């Protein structure tokens, strides 16, 4: 009995066992003989699923201050820290030296110090063009005086007054203007008001006899000595504030001897900011050279050959391409249209003049005349409150012309690339629209698109000219080195704004576009 009772107590005390008949006779219990339900008479058996033993938990404790000091002060860590400090300063010095080397060795554009005639935009006009048919000639001078602030706002820097002197005038009368243009005090007032507004005035002596090669007896082969009266006339106009004079390359005054004498007169009036200049209009294919090239400040060239006949689009394209491939010369160039072209190409030629290297010399345009713009806005057919379609079209045309002129002149004034940047002619590949593919093979090929680039430093301008009458799309493989993105600066119809991609650009007939290029993603 005692042994059985002892075994029962041991069974109860063992954690892994339970009585076979404890509680109920269900799972894990087997009833024994006699004393059912008694703990003392039960038998025990091991559980089928043993309990998992808990994993030991390792507790991490931070090092104390004394332990950290002991470890950090060891010889190994001291060496590592010294090596890291030395490596940091060596890397910093290497990066600094590399940056300085890149800055020193990289090419930097040097700003060119331009003189006033190199920065200026010339505007050629005859004062009598500003008068009505019924008005007197003096009204042209007065009208021009009224438009001086307006012309200055357009970005015009110098006026070239043409037609003030009779072609057959004697050198003795070089200070006498044509009777139909008003009195001498009116012209003096015009010069004074122009100088006050910052507008230079250049007098046109082209085809005027200034050396007395034709005397009263008609002895043209014996030039008379009329230099003293001419010098007196030059001094008179220079005292009035005239900034220079224009002559033609066919004039007798275009000679080294005469120009040296003129330069001697100029030195009496020249200052560092107010230099007097000589402008030579080139009327021949080749300008006769002078031994002293510094005697001429500006050479005015024509984009189109001077002719009384209207040029075809192919001839215009050939003439423009010839000008674009012209070699750079020592004398500062100025560009004017010269020949006659289709009115559809007028705005294209204006874009070309404004973006070529040199100073543009724009001929008088009635679309830029402030008086003409006012008259178009106020005239309307009798009995109607709104202007007719024809007047509306004229007003829109003049508004586009003024906007294009202002955009180009102000862009040229503030962009170094357009003032004195490098010039690169770009051979062009384009694809013509399908509409042109239906033309017969015997018809002449359309003129190509002409393109060139003006660059200064990291700034690049692309100028595209479609002289033909058909649309052209750019070839995606054209000029792979150029950035593929840009922003429109100006276009002939002033209808292109914002960013653009060269791959998706299509030029309309007779359209010219100016694009400022940039890397993709750099414009916002």
């Amino acid at each position: 009995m005692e042994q059985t009772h002892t075994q029962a107590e041991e069974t109860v005390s063992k954690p892994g066992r339970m009585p076979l008949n404890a509680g109920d006779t269900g799972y894990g219990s087997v009833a024994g003989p006699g004393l059912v339900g008694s703990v003392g008479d039960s038998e025990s058996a091991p559980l089928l699923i043993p309990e998992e033993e808990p994993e030991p938990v390792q507790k991490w404790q931070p090092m104390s201050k004394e332990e950290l000091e002991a470890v950090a002060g060891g010889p190994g860590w001291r060496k590592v820290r010294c090596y890291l400090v030395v490596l940091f300063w060596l890397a910093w010095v290497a990066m600094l030296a590399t940056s300085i080397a890149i800055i020193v060795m990289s090419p930097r554009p040097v700003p060119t110090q331009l003189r006033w005639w190199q920065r200026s935009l010339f505007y050629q006009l005859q004062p009598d063009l500003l008068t009505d048919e019924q008005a007197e000639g003096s009204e042209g001078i007065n009208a021009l005086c009224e438009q001086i602030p307006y012309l200055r706002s357009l970005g015009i820097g110098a006026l070239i007054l043409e037609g003030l002197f009779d072609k057959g005038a004697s050198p003795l009368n070089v200070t006498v203007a044509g009777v139909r243009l008003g009195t001498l005090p009116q012209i003096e007032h015009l010069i004074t008001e122009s100088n006050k507004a910052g507008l230079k005035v250049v007098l046109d002596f082209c085809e005027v006899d200034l050396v007395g090669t034709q005397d009263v007896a008609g002895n043209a082969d014996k030039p008379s000595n009329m230099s003293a009266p001419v010098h007196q006339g030059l001094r008179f106009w220079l005292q009035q504030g005239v900034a220079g004079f224009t002559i033609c390359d066919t004039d007798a005054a275009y000679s080294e001897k005469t120009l040296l004498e003129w330069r001697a007169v100029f030195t009496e009036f020249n200052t560092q900011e107010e230099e007097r200049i000589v402008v030579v209009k080139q009327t021949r294919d080749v300008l006769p050279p002078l031994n002293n090239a510094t005697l001429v400040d500006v050479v005015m060239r024509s984009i189109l050959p001077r002719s009384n006949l209207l040029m075809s689009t192919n001839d215009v394209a050939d003439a423009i391409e010839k000008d674009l491939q012209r070699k750079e010369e020592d004398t500062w160039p100025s560009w004017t249209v010269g020949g006659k072209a289709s009115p559809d190409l007028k705005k294209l030629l204006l874009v070309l003049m404004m973006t070529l290297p040199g100073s543009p010399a724009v001929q008088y345009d009635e679309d830029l005349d402030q008086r003409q713009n006012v008259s178009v806005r106020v005239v309307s057919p009798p009995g109607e409150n709104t202007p007719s379609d024809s007047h509306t079209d004229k007003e829109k045309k003049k508004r586009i012309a003024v906007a294009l002129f202002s955009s180009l002149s102000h862009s040229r004034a503030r962009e170094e690339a357009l003032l004195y940047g490098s010039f690169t002619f770009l051979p062009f590949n384009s694809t013509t629209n399908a509409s042109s593919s239906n033309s017969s093979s015997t018809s002449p090929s359309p003129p190509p698109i002409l393109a060139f680039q003006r660059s200064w430093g990291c700034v690049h301008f692309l100028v595209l000219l479609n002289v033909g009458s058909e649309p052209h799309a750019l070839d995606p493989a054209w000029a792979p080195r150029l950035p593929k993105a840009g922003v429109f600066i100006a276009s002939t119809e002033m209808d292109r704004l914002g960013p653009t991609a060269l791959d998706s650009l299509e030029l309309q007939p007779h359209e010219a576009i100016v694009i400022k290029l940039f890397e993709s993603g750099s414009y916002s």
Side-chain angles (χ1 to χ4, degrees), residues 164-484:
L164 291 182
F165 307 97
D166 296 331
K167 300 299 183 182
S170 169
L172 297 175
N173 297 327
V174 75
T175 60
V176 178
V179 178
R180 60 189 178 87
L181 294 178
T183 62
L184 187 59
Q186 288 178 312
I187 300 177
E188 294 174 356
H189 177 69
L190 170 63
I191 298 173
T192 303
E193 294 299 319
S194 298
N195 290 331
K196 287 181 181 180
L199 197 62
K200 307 289 185 182
V201 176
V202 178
L203 299 184
D204 188 5
F205 283 162
C206 190
E207 299 181 0
V208 176
D209 183 20
L210 296 176
V211 296
T213 56
Q214 294 181 352
D215 54 19
V216 292
N219 295 324
D221 297 334
K222 296 180 181 180
S224 58
N225 186 12
M226 305 296 278
S227 59
V230 172
H231 295 171
Q232 182 179 359
L234 295 178
R235 288 188 177 92
F236 171 81
W237 289 115
L238 293 174
Q239 289 174 353
Q240 306 305 318
V242 170
F245 304 96
T246 300
I247 60 175
C248 289
D249 59 353
T250 55
D251 294 341
Y254 180 67
S255 65
E256 191 166 353
K257 177 179 179 297
T258 302
L259 294 179
L260 281 172
E261 295 176 354
W262 286 24
R263 285 294 178 184
V265 177
F266 288 179
T267 54
E268 302 176 12
F269 301 90
N270 280 345
T271 61
Q272 187 173 2
E273 298 180 356
E274 298 290 337
E275 294 184 72
R276 272 58 176 182
I277 65 172
V278 174
V279 181
V280 175
K281 291 183 179 180
Q282 181 178 342
T283 60
R284 291 177 280 193
D285 294 338
V286 179
L287 183 69
L290 297 174
N291 295 328
N292 187 358
T294 60
L295 297 176
V296 176
D297 299 294
V298 181
V299 175
M300 187 182 298
R301 298 188 178 96
S302 298
I303 296 177
L304 305 180
R306 296 182 180 272
S307 173
N308 295 326
L309 301 177
L310 190 67
M311 299 179 63
S312 64
T313 54
N314 286 316
D315 293 338
V316 171
D318 293 340
I320 294 176
E321 186 172 4
K322 182 179 178 182
D323 292 327
L324 296 180
Q325 295 178 351
R326 185 192 297 266
K327 295 182 179 180
E328 185 178 356
E329 299 181 3
D330 297 333
T331 308
W332 184 262
S334 177
W335 296 97
T336 186
V337 175
K340 293 184 177 182
S342 171
D344 297 332
L345 298 175
K346 186 176 77 170
K347 288 181 286 188
L348 181 144
L349 294 173
L350 175 64
V351 173
L352 178 61
M353 277 191 299
M354 291 287 198
T355 52
L356 281 175
S359 301
V362 182
Q363 287 281 356
Y364 168 78
D365 187 357
E366 64 178 7
D367 291 338
L368 302 178
D369 192 341
Q370 189 180 27
R371 290 158 50 97
Q372 295 288 341
N373 292 339
V374 172
S375 64
V376 168
R377 286 194 295 268
V378 300
V379 172
S380 60
E384 295 185 10
N385 296 325
T386 58
S388 63
D389 294 339
S390 61
H391 287 290
T392 304
D393 295 340
K394 289 182 180 180
E395 184 178 356
K396 180 181 178 181
K397 175 183 175 184
K398 292 177 181 294
R399 186 169 57 251
I400 293 175
V402 173
L404 176 62
F405 190 95
S406 300
S407 176
L408 292 171
S409 63
H410 292 110
S411 297
R412 179 182 178 274
R414 66 174 177 263
E415 295 288 352
E416 294 89 349
L418 297 178
L419 274 175
Y420 46 77
S422 62
F423 174 86
T424 305
F425 175 69
L426 301 175
F428 199 88
N429 294 326
S430 64
T431 57
T432 308
N433 273 1
S435 59
S436 62
S437 61
N438 298 330
S439 59
S440 60
S441 59
T442 59
S443 61
S445 60
I449 293 182
L450 302 174
F452 59 91
Q453 180 181 350
R454 300 293 308 277
S455 303
W456 189 80
C458 300
V459 181
H460 308 280
F461 284 85
L462 177 64
V463 182
L464 302 172
L465 309 170
N466 183 13
V467 184
S469 57
E470 299 174 355
H472 283 271
L474 300 188
D475 188 350
W478 172 73
R481 295 184 179 181
L482 287 179
K484 299 302 181 183

Side-chain angles (χ1 to χ4, degrees), residues 16-18 20 27-28 43-50:
R17 299 177 180 271
M18 64 180 296
L20 296 177
Y27 176 76
E43 294 183 2
S44 61
L47 293 175
L48 297 178
I49 303 175

